Amino acid sequence: MTQPLPLLDDAADDAPSRADALRAQILALVAEYHAEAFPARAFVPGETPVPVSGKVFGAREIQHLVDAGLDFWLTTGRFAAQFERAFARACGVRHATLVNSGSSANLVALSALTSPSLEDRLRPGDEVITVAAGFPTTVNPIFQNGLVPVFLDVELGTYGPIVAQLEAALSDRTRAVMIAHTLGNPFDLAAVTAFVRQHGLRLVEDCCDAVGATYAGRPVGTFGDLATVSFYPAHHITMGEGGAVLTNAPALRTLVESFRDWGRDCWCEPGKDNTCGKRFGWQLGELPCGYDHKYTYSHVGYNLKATDMQAAVGVAQLERLPGFVAARRANFAWLRAALADLEDVLLLPEPQPGSEPSWFGFPVLVRDGAPFSRDALVQFLEARRIATRLLFGGNLVRQPAYRGLTYRVVGDLANSDRVMRSAFWVGVWPGLTEPMLAWVAASIRAFCRGEAR
């Protein structure tokens, strides 16, 4: 980082105190600005949008953002280090490594398991078990690393993997399992962890939708070798863009940082040199002895770091996380109770037994034989300004992106096809009010009972 020019004459002695006073004044004005720029607005049914997701923030988030901007340290810095420490504690793991998105987190996590430094490294052609009904970026890193996805079907209602299919998915090339906790509902971690232990496999938990969820009293993200998180505005906390890779293994953390930081062998933080004490004393590969360690690369990596301004927002958001999770659970419970009498035409969501989800959304599946289709219900809700989303990519093997690629399928993926045809979800995020939830429930009920069809 370029150092600021020194002030001339006597003003130099007063520069730190003047700068601190100006910073405090600016941050106080930011709080005033927030109050004026983001006032609460009344909800008008049918006119005010009811989003499926969104960001909830206050003056503190904007103050943190401006505070980081005033430092003008534009890459990873003090806020990033603070966030990584605090988020690791919040998730119950030793290490959290910040990246620029949840998609990057998935790419970095799985790529780390291909490192030549690991005896059990994943190699091209090895198989990774996953599910067909999910989000593409859980699967894309498998293809990107020359590995072969093996797709399981999902249970309807929980939308986790059908764990009875795990043994059928196993082959002599199986090396890992990488599955997401769908919409914040943990998958059957008891069955999956028993399976990976029995067969000596790696486990990557995609927790991008599930921060705050627990299974058997333990936070998700603590069961696998690695776990991933997203901080996109739709998620449990946000930095705008951002993500993290979680692990309890220091060796895996080092690999994650390498793949995130251009693939370099050096582990110095940005702006620092010679952390290892022998920057010009290494002999690696076919490089000449003493080649600068900061320019020595042990992996084919990327630059996937987040900025300190993003991390600054995350630090403020993390203070709100317990309240956000509680609000999501309360909103989910409100909708579940309000729609309970529609079970004859709708399959309503169920928590995975033994878990306490941190709901990302409220999934609904229109039952076979209902007198209406998913598409008709969705169009009705959208016309009432109630936003909906399908369950991500539906059955991913039907997606054009994967046409012609190599993968295996277990069974006929009948449930994934039903998800593709008949499922959708509405929001439970903390920005929803009870009048909004009441409008959602009343609208779904009116349509399902034929009052508005």
Side-chain angles (χ1 to χ4, degrees):
M1 181 178 71
T2 303
Q3 296 299 315
L5 294 174
L7 298 178
L8 301 179
D9 30 73
D10 294 334
D13 294 334
D14 298 329
S17 60
R18 279 191 64 203
D20 290 346
L22 286 169
R23 184 181 293 248
Q25 183 180 355
I26 290 167
L27 298 182
L29 287 170
V30 166
E32 292 184 33
Y33 170 81
H34 171 266
E36 291 294 327
F38 301 101
R41 301 186 186 279
F43 174 67
V44 180
E47 295 182 14
T48 307
V50 182
V52 291
S53 61
K55 55 189 181 293
V56 176
F57 66 98
R60 189 163 175 81
E61 282 83 351
I62 306 177
Q63 287 174 317
H64 273 61
L65 178 62
V66 172
D67 196 17
L70 292 173
D71 289 346
F72 211 67
W73 184 268
L74 301 180
T75 185
T76 297
R78 65 181 176 103
F79 281 107
Q82 180 182 349
F83 180 85
E84 287 178 334
R85 290 192 299 269
F87 192 66
R89 287 195 300 271
C91 294
V93 295
R94 292 180 65 182
H95 307 294
T97 302
L98 192 59
V99 294
N100 61 359
S101 73
S103 300
S104 294
N106 282 339
L107 176 60
V108 166
L110 193 63
S111 297
L113 297 179
T114 70
S115 172
S117 67
L118 299 174
E119 290 186 8
D120 60 344
R121 64 176 292 199
L122 276 60
R123 302 173 184 270
D126 286 345
E127 294 181 345
V128 180
I129 296 173
T130 188
V131 297
F135 197 74
T137 57
T138 309
V139 173
N140 291 348
I142 304 173
F143 286 119
Q144 288 168 304
N145 278 287
L147 307 167
V148 178
V150 180
F151 290 106
L152 306 181
D153 209 351
V154 295
E155 299 279 2
L156 298 180
T158 66
Y159 305 101
I162 299 176
V163 293
Q165 293 184 341
L166 285 168
E167 291 294 338
L170 189 69
S171 79
D172 59 1
R173 297 304 303 268
T174 306
R175 297 292 181 270
V177 175
M178 185 171 182
I179 301 177
H181 300 292
T182 304
L183 291 174
N185 194 8
F187 56 79
D188 186 344
L189 280 158
V192 171
T193 54
F195 174 76
V196 297
R197 282 197 303 270
Q198 179 183 355
H199 298 289
L201 309 177
R202 295 285 194 174
L203 173 60
V204 180
E205 292 178 72
D206 182 336
C207 304
C208 289
D209 293 348
V211 173
T214 62
Y215 183 90
R218 281 175 56 186
V220 298
T222 64
F223 292 82
D225 297 278
L226 296 153
T228 60
V229 175
S230 174
F231 305 126
Y232 191 70
H235 291 275
H236 289 62
I237 61 173
T238 186
M239 316 181 163
E241 303 286 353
V245 181
L246 310 178
T247 186
N248 280 312
L252 290 180
R253 179 203 183 185
T254 299
L255 295 178
V256 165
E257 289 180 344
S258 176
F259 278 95
R260 180 198 65 177
D261 298 355
W262 304 280
R264 66 180 186 167
D265 200 74
C266 173
W267 55 85
C268 290
E269 295 180 4
K272 295 187 177 180
D273 297 327
N274 208 26
T275 304
C276 63
K278 54 175 188 174
R279 175 180 170 187
F280 299 104
W282 290 90
Q283 170 64 66
L284 296 172
E286 298 180 11
L287 294 170
C289 183
Y291 197 81
D292 190 347
H293 195 224
K294 287 178 71 69
Y295 287 94
T296 301
Y297 303 93
S298 51
H299 303 102
V300 179
Y302 319 89
N303 177 9
L304 300 175
K305 296 189 298 298
T307 70
D308 222 38
M309 290 174 285
Q310 292 168 268
V313 175
V315 168
Q317 283 273 290
L318 189 52
E319 298 169 0
R320 295 170 172 260
L321 179 59
F324 285 168
V325 172
R328 287 177 175 273
R329 288 172 175 160
N331 290 345
F332 179 93
W334 198 101
L335 283 176
R336 188 66 174 75
L339 301 176
D341 64 336
L342 299 178
E343 286 272 19
D344 57 325
V345 290
L346 302 178
L347 177 64
L348 299 182
E350 295 290 346
Q352 176 68 40
S355 77
E356 188 172 9
S358 180
W359 293 102
F360 182 68
F362 188 93
V364 174
L365 186 136
V366 176
R367 292 185 183 275
D368 291 345
F372 54 85
S373 68
R374 184 267 315 276
D375 293 349
L377 175 52
V378 161
Q379 290 168 19
F380 175 77
L381 295 175
E382 294 281 348
R384 289 192 165 201
R385 307 297 303 276
I386 299 168
T388 63
R389 294 290 185 272
L390 303 188
L391 212 163
F392 306 128
N395 185 344
L396 290 175
V397 304
R398 315 293 185 207
Q399 290 282 350
Y402 306 127
R403 189 175 296 138
L405 299 184
T406 300
Y407 57 83
R408 286 201 300 116
V409 168
V410 178
D412 59 6
L413 302 181
N415 287 352
S416 297
D417 281 336
R418 285 193 65 191
V419 165
M420 180 178 62
R421 293 192 308 267
S422 302
F424 71 99
W425 57 277
V426 294
V428 294
W429 62 291
L432 297 180
T433 63
E434 188 167 322
M436 290 177 175
L437 295 172
W439 175 241
V440 172
S443 298
I444 293 174
R445 171 172 286 99
F447 184 88
C448 290
R449 293 308 181 213
E451 300 166 10
R453 278 188 275 133

